[in-house]
Amino acid sequence: MITTQEDYLESLMGMKKRIFMFGEEIENYVDHPMIRPSLNAVAMTYELANDPTHVELMTAESNLNGQRVNRFTHLHQSTQDLVNKVKMQRLLGHCTACCFQRCVGMDSFNALDVVTYQMDQELGTNYNQRFRKYLAHVQEENLVVDGAMTDPKGNRKLSPSQQTDPDLHVRIVKENEDGIFIRGAKVHQTGAVNSHEILVMPARSLKEADQDYAVACAVPADAEGIIYVVGRQASDTRKLEGGRIDVGNYQFGGHEAVIIFQDVFIPWEWVFMCREYQYAGNLVELFAAHHRASYGGCKVGVGDVLIGAAQAIARVQGTEQAAHIKDKLVEMVHLNETLYACGLAASYEGRRSPSGTYMINVLLANVTKLNVTRFPYEIARIAQDIAGGLLVTMPSEKDFNHPEIGPLLQKYLVGSDEFPTEWRQRLLRLIENITLGAGGVGYLVESMHGAGSPMAQRIMLTRLADMDAKEAYALKIAGLVEEG
Ligand SMILES: Cc1cc2nc3c(=O)[nH]c(=O)nc-3n(C[C@H](O)[C@H](O)[C@H](O)COP(=O)(O)OP(=O)(O)OC[C@H]3O[C@@H](n4cnc5c(N)ncnc54)[C@H](O)[C@@H]3O)c2cc1C
C-alpha cells in the first residue's frame, strides 16, 4: 500500500510507460525537471493524509472495507463527506498553488458507482459489483487513477459514429471471452503520467449507432498499447533553466497529456459499461456535477494563495495602505469566498442515491462551475493590477545574479526598503505563474473548460431551474391566477 511520498515515487518508478515530450521518448520521467513538480503536487495528497492535523479531511472510513482510506479513493457516504471533499481540495490548493490531479479519478468513482448500480437494477447486469471490487483494490493500494473522459471529438457537429475517422472517440474494436480491446485517444488528461491506472469513460450522450463508443473500463497506466504525449505549458522550459525564482512555483505544478490507446486489452472484470449507450449521458452528467463542485474547493485554495501574494506585493511595494488596494483585496476575497460558498452549498444539498453513494446537488454544482469560469479571471486581473508592470518586464534571475548588473538591478528594482528586492522578484514571479504562466493552466483555462465549457453549465441550468414554478409564483403574487 502506498502511504508516503517516497512510496508513491517508488511505485511509479516500477511502471514502464511510453511517454513522449518535445519529440523524444522519456525514460526516467519521475526525475524529469518538467514533470517532477506535478508529481510533487500529487505526492502532497499522500503526505497530508499522514499529518494528524489533516487526517479527518484527507481520509474517510470506506464503505467497502471499513478501513480508513485516502479520501481521493472514497465513495461519499454522507453530505459531510461531500463537504469534507471540498474542504480537502481547498487545503491542497493552499499547499500546492496548482492542480493536484487526483480529483478527476475521485469524481469518476462516485459517478460510476451510481450509474453502474442503476444499470444493474434496470438491465440485470453485475457492473456495480465489478466496479466496487475494482475500487476496493484502488483503496487497498491507495492508487492514483486518471479519470479519462474527454475524447478528441473531431468535428463537434458530428456524433462519434458520423466522424470520417471512427477513432476520434474511444471505442470497442474487438471483444473475446477474456475481455475487450479499445482504440482511440483521450485528450487534456490531468496527471496522466503520474497515475497508476486509467479509468476510461464516454464523454457525451450516445445513440444506438454509437454503441461501440459506450465503454467504461479501467486499465493499468503502463498497459501495452498506451502512449502518452505530455502537453506544453506557458513558460514550461523555465523549469529546465536550473533556477528557482523565475519558475514562480518551483516545487509544484500540474500537467496534462494526450493518451493514445492502440487496441488496448481490458479484461472483463475491469469493464463497467459495454455498449449500454443509454447510460452514457447520465454518467457524463453525474461525473461533471461532482467535478464542477470540486472546483469550489481547489480553485479557491489557489485563489487564497494569489490573494495572499497580492497583499504581500502591495506591502513590498508600499501600496498596502491605499484605500483602493484594500478594496481590491476585499473584492478578491468576496469572489473567492463566493466560489467556496457555492461548492459547500452544492455539497450540503447533496442526496443519497440508490447505490448509497451521495450525489452532489446538480443545479448548485453547475452554478459553482459557471462562477468558476469567470471569477478566477477577475481575481487574476486584480492581482495583475496590484502587481504593476514589473510582473511582465522583470529581468531574469540570471541577470539578478550577474556580478556587474545584479547589484544594479537590486538597487533600481527595490520596492519599500523594508524588504530585499528578492521578495519583490519572488512574489511577482508567483503571481506571473498563476495568472500568465504554467500555473494559469490549472487556475484559469482549467477553470474555463475543465468539467465542461461554460455553455455546458448553462444548458444544465436551463434544464434544472424549474422556470415554470418561478413563473407561477410571479403570476400568483401579481394576482393573475386564482389563489389555490
Ligand atoms: C487544464 C485542463 C484539464 C483537463 N483535465 C481533464 C481530465 O483530467 N480528464 C478529462 O477527461 N478531461 C479533462 N479536461 C477536458 C475538459 O473537460 C474539456 O476541455 C471540455 O469538456 C471542453 O472540451 P474541448 O476542450 O474539446 O473544447 P470544445 O468542446 O471544442 O469547446 C470549445 C468551444 O466550442 C463550443 N462547442 C463545443 N461543441 C459544440 C457544439 N457541438 N456546438 C456548439 N458549440 C460547441 C464550447 O461551448 C466551447 O465554447 C481538461 C481540460 C483542461 C483545459
Side-chain angles (χ1 to χ4, degrees):
M1 181 182 183
I2 302 166
T3 45
T4 64
Q5 170 168 325
E6 291 73 31
D7 295 342
Y8 170 58
L9 296 177
E10 206 177 304
S11 70
L12 291 180
M13 281 176 194
M15 299 186 83
K16 257 320 238 166
K17 295 177 193 154
R18 294 203 64 201
I19 300 170
F20 289 81
M21 199 163 64
F22 292 123
E24 285 176 6
E25 190 159 358
I26 297 166
E27 288 301 324
N28 177 2
Y29 70 98
V30 170
D31 293 318
H32 194 287
M34 277 178 56
I35 294 181
R36 187 52 180 259
S38 71
L39 278 164
N40 292 342
V42 180
M44 191 59 85
T45 69
Y46 290 98
E47 281 302 296
L48 289 182
N50 296 324
D51 180 341
T53 323
H54 302 305
V55 77
E56 194 59 35
L57 284 188
M58 295 299 303
T59 67
E61 187 182 313
S62 167
N63 59 314
L64 302 182
N65 61 18
Q67 305 292 312
R68 276 206 93 76
V69 296
N70 193 295
R71 192 174 291 285
F72 282 100
T73 66
H74 180 55
L75 294 176
H76 312 302
Q77 296 301 300
S78 61
T79 51
Q80 192 58 49
D81 268 347
L82 292 167
V83 168
N84 285 349
K85 178 192 86 160
V86 171
K87 291 186 174 179
M88 169 183 78
Q89 290 164 321
R90 187 170 188 173
L91 169 70
L92 275 154
H94 294 166
C95 298
T96 61
C98 69
C99 170
F100 32 88
Q101 308 148 52
R102 245 179 130 177
C103 306
V104 192
M106 168 179 60
D107 294 332
S108 307
F109 300 148
N110 280 277
L112 256 176
D113 187 67
V114 174
V115 175
T116 52
Y117 185 87
Q118 186 193 358
M119 287 162 73
D120 291 355
Q121 295 299 302
E122 293 170 9
L123 306 174
T125 47
N126 70 339
Y127 288 127
N128 188 252
Q129 201 186 345
R130 268 189 204 171
F131 172 69
R132 286 191 168 203
K133 199 166 162 210
Y134 165 73
L135 189 62
H137 139 83
V138 170
Q139 291 185 344
E140 276 150 30
E141 305 288 327
N142 196 5
L143 301 177
V144 176
V145 178
D146 170 89
M149 187 165 262
T150 310
D151 299 286
K153 295 186 288 199
N155 183 338
R156 272 75 176 140
K157 280 199 291 289
L158 303 177
S159 74
S161 59
Q162 290 170 336
Q163 304 281 339
T164 312
D165 183 339
D167 297 338
L168 292 177
H169 298 75
V170 168
R171 65 184 174 124
I172 302 167
V173 285
K174 205 165 59 171
E175 80 173 66
N176 61 29
E177 60 188 19
D178 299 321
I180 59 171
F181 293 80
I182 59 168
R183 184 187 303 163
K186 292 289 183 185
V187 289
H188 318 300
Q189 293 305 297
T190 294
V193 309
N194 297 341
S195 302
H196 301 104
E197 284 167 13
I198 305 168
L199 190 52
V200 174
M201 296 162 289
R204 50 169 291 162
S205 55
L206 298 170
K207 300 222 166 81
E208 195 172 354
D210 303 314
Q211 58 178 287
D212 285 344
Y213 299 89
V215 57
C217 58
V219 57
D222 58 352
E224 204 183 326
I226 297 181
I227 293 176
Y228 300 85
V229 189
V230 179
R232 290 215 66 167
Q233 298 179 334
S235 309
D236 51 8
T237 47
R238 288 192 194 184
K239 292 175 187 153
L240 304 175
E241 291 171 7
R244 288 190 159 188
I245 295 177
D246 283 356
V247 181
N249 182 357
Y250 68 90
Q251 277 178 285
F252 303 107
H255 81 251
E256 274 71 34
V258 177
I259 308 181
I260 300 165
F261 298 90
Q262 295 178 306
D263 296 8
V264 175
F265 172 71
I266 322 281
W268 284 117
E269 51 288 19
W270 281 20
V271 176
F272 316 123
M273 177 186 286
C274 182
R275 300 200 175 85
E276 293 85 359
Y277 62 90
Q278 313 91 317
Y279 295 87
N282 195 24
L283 178 60
V284 175
E285 269 176 26
L286 297 191
F287 161 77
H290 276 303
H291 206 49
R292 288 169 191 173
S294 285
Y295 285 0
C298 64
K299 304 305 174 209
V300 178
V302 180
D304 285 326
V305 176
L306 185 56
I307 295 167
Q311 172 162 293
I313 195 64
R315 216 190 301 284
V316 166
Q317 298 182 156
T319 57
E320 80 280 11
Q321 298 294 345
H324 79 99
I325 297 286
K326 286 183 184 165
D327 192 51
K328 282 168 182 162
L329 289 168
V330 169
E331 177 66 8
M332 293 168 100
V333 170
H334 166 67
L335 292 168
N336 207 40
E337 295 302 333
T338 303
L339 299 179
Y340 188 50
C342 289
L344 289 182
S347 305
Y348 279 115
E349 287 292 307
R351 290 282 177 274
R352 189 179 187 278
S353 77
S355 82
T357 292
Y358 269 64
M359 258 316 294
I360 202 87
N361 179 294
V362 179
L363 175 65
L364 296 179
N366 278 278
V367 172
T368 310
K369 173 66 204 325
L370 197 53
N371 284 335
V372 167
T373 66
R374 296 175 179 163
F375 295 179
Y377 285 87
E378 180 60 10
I379 294 169
R381 190 188 70 78
I382 300 172
Q384 292 183 353
D385 174 353
I386 294 173
L390 198 61
L391 179 71
V392 291
T393 63
M394 186 164 52
S396 79
E397 187 176 348
K398 285 187 177 150
D399 293 318
F400 278 88
N401 294 335
H402 188 274
E404 184 185 352
I405 55 172
L408 294 171
L409 292 175
Q410 303 283 349
K411 170 182 161 74
Y412 287 112
L413 298 183
V414 74
S416 159
D417 58 16
E418 287 165 59
F419 300 92
T421 310
E422 188 178 323
W423 276 56
R424 200 168 175 215
Q425 241 183 306
R426 284 185 183 265
L427 286 165
L428 289 174
R429 288 296 180 213
L430 175 58
I431 297 171
E432 181 196 35
N433 171 275
I434 298 174
T435 68
L436 292 167
V441 175
Y443 188 57
L444 297 177
V445 185
E446 191 174 68
S447 291
M448 178 68 77
H449 289 293
S453 314
M455 192 58 203
Q457 289 102 69
R458 299 190 94 87
I459 290 169
M460 291 304 289
L461 296 197
T462 310
R463 201 189 303 164
L464 298 172
D466 197 352
M467 296 304 289
D468 289 345
K470 295 179 201 311
E471 189 173 333
Y473 303 142
L475 296 184
K476 192 168 160 196
I477 297 284
L480 291 166
V481 290
E482 292 288 309
E483 297 250 346

